[in-house]
Amino acid sequence: MATVRLSFSPAPVHVRTARLVGVAVARRAGVAEELLDEVRLAIGEACTRAVTLHRQYGLTDLVTMEMSDSDSYTVRVIDHAPIEASVGLAKLPPDELAAENLTDDALTTGVGFALLAGFVDDLQVRPVDDGPGTEVRMVWPVTRR
Amino acid sequence: MELSLTTRTVAEHTVLEVGGEVDVYTAPRLRERLIELVDAGARDVVVDLERVDFLDSTGLGVLVGALKRLRTAHGTFGLVCAKEPLLKIFRITALDQVFPIFPTVDAATERDGSGPTS
């Protein structure tokens, strides 16, 4: 099993790097070309979520992204924000999306989760095993060459 | 690709042409530009996404913010987008039911009643 691990400080500029690395490893792992746009978007959303949470809570800890290509391409994005930050992840109904009382953060979080759920068939969001934090785990099929 | 922002006027609409990647890093610049336009008096605004390579939830949030700002100012706001990957993002998030989305700038700036609505 080949694993690539990337850790980065919670700065928005690094999310682009994470997307580039995630797609490069996906291509190398054998993820179908037509899925790569969705991989790029999903990894971007998961990393954006982690970076945003770290910044909201004033955390300087690194965000970690692990990619492995055993039987499928698995990406885990791990943050260290308090677990309650993950509560309330839900897709927003259309009539609430442009509601005046919806904050920008709530909108972005809801839309981001809708994109993750929409683009990743195999998606899990769960607490990390040690300490505070959440792991977003995304799996895509690979075609062996 | 870096974010690019270019403004022009078409049929009395302010058209903001966006290019490159709109993400958590670049979206604040798009937000600032849209606020500047509205503060400067623009009321019929069209954002042309045809040269956008990447759009994430942060960028979508900025577009919703602009829609709300123009609604408050009794203006109109529309998007130009014909790229299927981007349209899929709007469908998945249900934002295709929130934004008027047009295939061309001409369609978005028509004044026959089919143009952008607030």
Side-chain angles (χ1 to χ4, degrees):
Chain A
M1 180 175 81
T3 299
V4 177
R5 179 181 294 132
L6 174 72
S7 293
F8 54 96
S9 58
V13 67
H14 297 321
V15 173
R16 180 177 298 182
T17 306
R19 288 199 306 265
L20 289 170
V21 172
V23 169
V25 178
R27 186 176 274 122
R28 173 75 189 148
V31 175
E33 199 70 25
E34 59 267 25
L35 289 178
L36 293 180
D37 275 348
E38 300 181 2
V39 170
R40 180 164 73 135
L41 186 69
I43 287 175
E45 290 298 335
C47 291
T48 294
R49 175 187 169 279
V51 166
T52 303
L53 285 173
H54 277 215
R55 292 168 76 85
Q56 278 174 2
Y57 285 89
L59 302 171
T60 54
D61 308 57
L62 301 180
V63 171
T64 302
M65 180 168 83
E66 280 186 8
M67 297 141 277
S68 65
D69 65 349
S70 47
D71 297 323
S72 54
Y73 180 53
T74 302
V75 179
R76 299 191 310 140
V77 176
I78 299 153
D79 68 70
H80 301 289
I83 192 69
E84 65 265 25
S86 301
V87 176
L89 277 181
K91 186 174 178 177
L92 295 164
D95 58 343
E96 287 183 24
L97 286 167
E100 293 301 328
N101 59 356
L102 186 68
T103 66
D104 287 355
D105 282 347
L107 172 76
T108 304
T109 301
V111 168
F113 182 71
L115 290 174
L116 271 177
F119 281 119
V120 187
D121 291 337
D122 189 344
L123 170 72
Q124 288 181 16
V125 182
R126 65 182 196 87
V128 298
D129 292 332
D130 301 315
T134 306
E135 171 188 304
V136 176
R137 180 177 177 275
M138 304 168 281
V139 183
W140 287 276
V142 296
T143 309
R144 290 289 170 214
R145 287 161 294 183
Chain B
M1 185 180 160
E2 270 304 311
L3 181 75
S4 68
L5 301 170
T6 312
T7 309
R8 60 195 169 112
T9 302
V10 179
E12 298 176 40
H13 287 71
T14 302
V15 178
L16 178 60
E17 187 179 288
V18 185
E21 299 192 335
V22 185
D23 67 0
V24 65
Y25 179 56
T26 60
R29 282 171 49 206
L30 175 61
R31 178 187 291 116
E32 284 169 19
R33 178 63 67 86
L34 284 163
I35 291 173
E36 283 171 10
L37 290 175
V38 177
D39 286 351
R43 288 297 175 267
D44 297 308
V45 176
V46 172
V47 174
D48 181 357
L49 300 173
E50 277 307 288
R51 291 176 56 236
V52 167
D53 304 313
F54 183 84
L55 177 67
D56 75 359
S57 58
T58 334
L60 292 168
V62 168
L63 295 175
V64 172
L67 172 81
K68 292 200 291 194
R69 195 165 285 112
L70 279 156
R71 194 163 57 189
T72 304
H74 305 293
T76 67
F77 186 75
L79 301 176
V80 173
C81 179
K83 284 182 174 177
E84 178 49 33
L86 288 187
L87 290 171
K88 186 174 181 181
I89 288 172
F90 285 102
R91 283 197 302 273
I92 283 178
T93 55
L95 286 169
D96 60 337
Q97 299 169 52
V98 172
F99 293 113
I101 301 177
F102 300 89
T104 63
V105 170
D106 284 347
T109 54
E110 278 178 2
R111 282 268 184 198
D112 61 0
S114 61
T117 54
S118 56

